[in-house]
Amino acid sequence: MPSHLHEGLLDLFRTDLLLAPSLLAEEFRIPLPGLSQMRAEPCDFTDVGPKEFRGDLALSTHDDRDIPVLGVCVEVQLSKADVRRWKWPVYLTTLRSRLCCPVVLLVVTPSRAVAKWAEQPIELDTVGSVIQPLVLGPDRFPVVTDPVEAGKCPERATLSAIAHGAGPHTEEVLAAFLAGLMKTDDEHAKMYLDLVDDALTVAASRRLEELMESSPQYRGRIATKYMAKGREEGLAEVDAKVAETAAHAVLTVLTARGLELSAAQRALLAACTDLDQLDAWLTQAVTATRTDELFG
């Protein structure tokens, strides 16, 4: 089952199809001749036979004549898993056969240890044929400190905040990230905020919250929304604690009066979160002669 982090990182590349080729060009000097459009390709790499090979994301770049010029297999990798290195060549050769153009493997990981593992060449035979993964690890995640740039590509700013939000440029990186969130819809804003918040240190996460609360524009679009959510969660926690206290009071009164609850009645009392019902039970517990008078 893919994790929240895996799916969140992958969504960055699904949402902005130009993110992968732009990073390939910047970080790995991969030429994109005559790039006119970008398409998502099917991720099912099974052509023949019963065994299924399904990758994370496949992309293709096309020139102005609609001829594919480069295929990209994007794989998000959070841990070392040698079985992936046996499957990745299948993804590449199948996509290459489908598009009839060169293809590359782009592995995305927020872990330096996984990046070092993934960048090792994949040997295909005993005569020197290899596949060289291109690994976008945290050291290659872009550093985005310009709010204008972040607004044009919130996904790039999110990658930046994940890798560099707790680094030497914390203030600029997080401010740019928030500016990028202003250009996304609510669903993506929440996802990207959660991704970054989970990746940050405690101090950086606190600073991100302070930035949201201190700026009128962020407070209007982002901070108020998540502060309200926090208040709702806090109120729910308080209600749960009050319910627990009320249930304990009912049990204490009944026990003091020599009335013992059955296992089923105890479970019913412990599971109740309706404060009105608990208050009614507490009132009845003072005069009841049998527990069935409360619980039926």
Side-chain angles (χ1 to χ4, degrees):
M1 179 70 71
S3 69
H4 169 71
L5 176 58
H6 179 279
E7 289 303 291
L9 286 171
L10 195 55
D11 189 74
L12 299 177
F13 292 87
R14 288 193 185 115
T15 302
D16 183 0
L17 295 183
L18 291 176
L19 182 59
S22 67
L23 291 174
L24 284 171
E26 293 170 13
E27 298 295 331
F28 303 101
R29 301 295 186 266
I30 300 296
L32 299 174
L35 174 61
S36 177
Q37 56 181 306
M38 195 76 187
R39 296 179 187 171
E41 296 287 337
C43 290
D44 184 348
F45 295 111
T46 303
D47 281 349
V48 180
K51 190 171 181 64
E52 180 180 7
F53 291 91
R54 184 171 296 276
D56 283 342
L57 179 63
L59 304 170
S60 62
T61 64
H62 297 248
D63 61 20
D64 54 9
R65 297 171 297 171
D66 202 26
I67 297 176
V69 295
L70 182 69
V72 184
C73 289
V74 180
E75 291 291 308
V76 173
Q77 196 67 31
L78 304 182
S79 62
K80 301 176 184 179
D82 289 338
V83 67
R84 306 301 298 170
R85 294 173 59 82
W86 292 104
K87 294 181 177 182
W88 287 339
V90 178
Y91 303 167
L92 282 178
T93 54
T94 304
L95 187 62
R96 180 175 180 270
S97 174
R98 187 182 296 165
L99 298 176
C100 297
C101 72
V103 295
V104 296
L105 170 64
L106 178 63
V107 180
V108 181
T109 178
S111 164
R112 287 182 175 83
V114 174
K116 186 175 181 180
W117 163 81
E119 67 187 7
Q120 300 304 311
I122 300 173
E123 297 183 357
L124 298 180
D125 52 37
T126 59
V127 295
S129 301
V130 299
I131 288 175
Q132 180 60 63
L134 303 178
V135 182
L136 190 69
D139 294 332
R140 286 186 177 270
F141 280 18
V143 181
V144 179
T145 58
D146 182 1
V148 175
E149 179 187 357
K152 292 178 180 178
C153 185
E155 290 71 30
R156 176 184 286 264
T158 301
L159 281 178
S160 171
I162 288 172
H164 311 295
H169 304 290
T170 293
E171 199 80 8
E172 297 92 333
V173 166
L174 294 183
F177 165 65
L178 291 177
L181 287 192
M182 297 293 289
K183 302 298 183 180
T184 64
D185 57 62
D186 286 348
E187 182 179 355
H188 283 99
K190 181 183 184 305
M191 179 186 295
Y192 298 168
L193 186 62
D194 287 345
L195 278 176
V196 171
D197 192 48
D198 287 345
L200 294 177
T201 62
V202 173
S205 178
R206 187 176 298 117
R207 184 55 186 149
L208 177 63
E209 183 177 348
E210 290 171 353
L211 286 172
M212 286 192 294
E213 293 178 1
S214 64
S215 172
Q217 60 173 333
Y218 302 145
R219 189 165 58 242
R221 165 72 200 281
I222 302 170
T224 300
K225 177 180 177 182
Y226 293 102
M227 289 169 64
K229 178 184 176 185
R231 284 196 296 269
E232 291 173 3
E233 293 174 348
L235 289 173
E237 185 176 345
V238 170
D239 285 347
K241 181 62 69 175
V242 171
E244 181 182 348
T245 302
H248 181 71
V250 173
L251 182 60
T252 299
V253 171
L254 290 174
T255 302
R257 300 187 64 243
L259 300 175
E260 292 294 328
L261 297 181
S262 67
Q265 290 171 336
R266 282 179 176 270
L268 182 62
L269 177 61
C272 183
T273 58
D274 185 333
L275 298 181
D276 290 337
Q277 178 63 73
L278 288 166
D279 186 58
W281 282 340
L282 182 58
T283 300
Q284 290 175 280
V286 176
T287 58
T289 57
R290 293 179 298 107
T291 58
D292 287 350
E293 293 178 28
L294 278 73
F295 303 104

